[in-house]
Amino acid sequence: MVKPTVISLFSGIGGIDLAFERAGFDVIWANELDGFACATYRRNFPDKILVEADIRDIAADTVPKADILVAGFPCQSFSVMGYRRGFNDARGNLFFEIIRIAETVKPKIIFLENVRNLIYHDSGKTFLVIFNSLSEIGYDVKYAVQSPHTHANIPQERKRTFIVAFSDENMMNGFSFPDEIPLTKDLDDVFDRSKRQHGYFYYKPNGRYFDLLNKRIPDETGMYRIDDSGVAMKKYTVSPTLKANMGTYPDRVPIIRDDCGIRKITPRECLTLQGFPPDFAFGNIPIEQAYKQCGNTVCVPAVKRIAENIMKAYAGTVQEG
């Protein structure tokens, strides 16, 4: 079977694209507006067509035909951190750009990813608009909320809403979301606490939080965080959700103790917590942007498991036809 083709909207650094490629799909076209994200995308996907532009400025008839459309559309307006403005926020309205493109491209399948709060926002009215919009252009919808720590053997709690829409009923009937799997990895599989990192990451003795961090973090286990109230008391044995505001507020980067002191986790460690392979590299970007990209992307193995089930449904229907 020829590899099913994929177009990618709101591609970011390519987490969804990487997951679908690893599941056997061929990403033939991608779009992203943020220049820093594009730099990282091009570093890791040098042979892919990436259109760096506002999706609203792209004519639908210039987007190539493809079997699958994927999009991790902007989530800030639906998240708790983004004050839940939803479709009242211009970023929320970008969902309708997906519908505009899909009406012209007519993919067999649409895959969407967003925050968990999407299905609860505005008492479920926002999700109903999304569901009905997909239905009105001829798609049947399945959705689920899943997290890397329950569905991808990655020690990060990151609950996300996944939507898979099908234009073919048989294909839809052949698809199911992955079951839960045991979490056998822990934070010690992510952090090498014996290795000294660059001094930038360590809290200094004259720093604002140094003394309190030393009291709250007694040993080299687990991880910690600073929130609106200051240094949180809780020790996390599974990473809390990595957030884009790590790039805006440096003290919002999760914290660990290693052999050399107390430090923020590095962008590379953030990528590991998102399931990216060791050879995935950032573009030539500021460190603040690297943290932001880690918080904005997806957990690759979590999406890959869904993509593998999509492939089974797709391949089964194509072979029957």
Side-chain angles (χ1 to χ4, degrees):
M1 183 183 74
V2 176
K3 286 186 176 182
T5 53
V6 175
I7 59 168
S8 172
L9 310 181
F10 309 104
S11 304
I13 63 174
I16 292 176
D17 300 23
L18 179 60
F20 271 76
E21 288 263 324
R22 290 191 157 197
F25 294 89
D26 180 20
V27 177
I28 61 171
W29 185 92
N31 165 244
E32 172 56 44
L33 173 61
D34 184 270
F36 293 115
C38 287
T40 296
Y41 190 102
R42 292 189 178 105
R43 174 83 177 266
N44 296 280
F45 304 94
D47 300 326
K48 299 297 182 184
I49 297 173
L50 175 65
V51 178
E52 185 174 343
D54 190 322
I55 187 64
R56 292 168 290 195
D57 297 331
I58 295 177
D61 59 6
T62 66
V63 180
K65 299 290 185 180
D67 300 305
I68 321 287
L69 183 155
V70 303
F73 60 106
C75 65
Q76 292 92 335
S77 54
F78 301 112
S79 70
V80 174
M81 292 298 296
Y83 306 108
R84 311 184 211 187
R85 292 181 62 193
F87 291 133
N88 292 322
D89 187 316
R91 294 168 298 184
N93 282 317
L94 288 172
F95 164 75
F96 298 107
E97 295 299 312
I98 298 171
I99 297 297
R100 179 177 67 87
I101 299 296
E103 284 187 286
T104 297
V105 174
K106 300 187 186 308
K108 297 179 179 68
I109 301 170
I110 297 174
F111 170 86
L112 305 176
E113 178 269 349
N114 210 282
V115 293
R116 178 194 183 191
N117 192 61
L118 179 68
I119 61 176
Y120 305 111
H121 178 262
D122 196 14
S123 302
K125 295 175 184 176
T126 296
F127 188 76
L128 186 61
V129 170
I130 291 172
F131 189 100
N132 288 342
S133 297
L134 290 166
S135 179
E136 286 168 4
I137 62 170
Y139 290 86
D140 295 312
V141 177
K142 289 186 175 182
Y143 65 94
V145 174
Q146 298 192 341
S147 173
H149 78 294
T150 54
H151 288 82
N153 197 25
I154 297 289
Q156 182 193 178
E157 182 173 0
R158 187 183 185 84
K159 294 177 181 178
R160 285 297 186 266
T161 300
F162 297 103
I163 301 169
V164 187
F166 300 86
S167 63
D168 182 285
E169 185 177 0
N170 290 330
M171 203 174 288
M172 179 194 69
N173 291 335
F175 170 79
S176 60
F177 281 96
D179 294 328
E180 290 191 16
I181 57 176
L183 178 63
T184 61
K185 294 182 179 179
D186 58 30
L187 294 177
D188 288 335
D189 293 307
V190 177
F191 307 123
D192 182 353
R193 298 180 194 255
S194 66
K195 179 182 178 182
R196 179 171 180 80
Q197 303 294 332
H198 190 280
Y200 166 88
F201 300 105
Y202 289 89
Y203 282 84
K204 308 299 190 293
N206 59 347
R208 175 183 176 187
Y209 294 107
F210 183 81
D211 291 339
L212 186 53
L213 285 169
N214 271 279
K215 292 178 182 177
R216 294 274 171 86
I217 307 178
D219 55 42
E220 296 180 20
T221 61
M223 60 192 298
Y224 294 77
R225 65 191 300 186
I226 295 172
D227 58 25
D228 290 341
S229 63
V231 179
M233 294 288 291
K234 181 177 180 179
K235 177 172 77 171
Y236 292 88
T237 55
V238 170
S239 171
T241 301
L242 300 180
K243 298 176 180 177
N245 70 357
M246 294 188 299
T248 306
Y249 306 102
D251 287 318
R252 298 308 169 91
V253 180
I255 302 160
I256 64 169
R257 182 188 286 275
D258 67 15
D259 290 353
C260 303
I262 294 175
R263 65 173 175 86
K264 304 163 189 171
I265 66 174
T266 68
R268 177 69 256 174
E269 290 167 335
C270 290
L271 282 181
T272 302
L273 282 168
Q274 293 284 41
F276 281 78
D279 61 350
F280 193 94
F282 293 103
N284 185 20
I285 60 173
I287 192 168
E288 295 82 7
Q289 290 294 325
Y291 278 122
K292 178 182 176 182
Q293 290 175 7
C294 292
N296 271 336
T297 193
V298 299
C299 178
V300 174
V303 175
K304 179 175 178 282
R305 290 192 71 214
I306 298 172
E308 289 171 339
N309 283 14
I310 292 173
M311 175 63 85
K312 291 175 184 176
Y314 178 92
T317 304
V318 169
Q319 289 170 1
E320 288 174 5

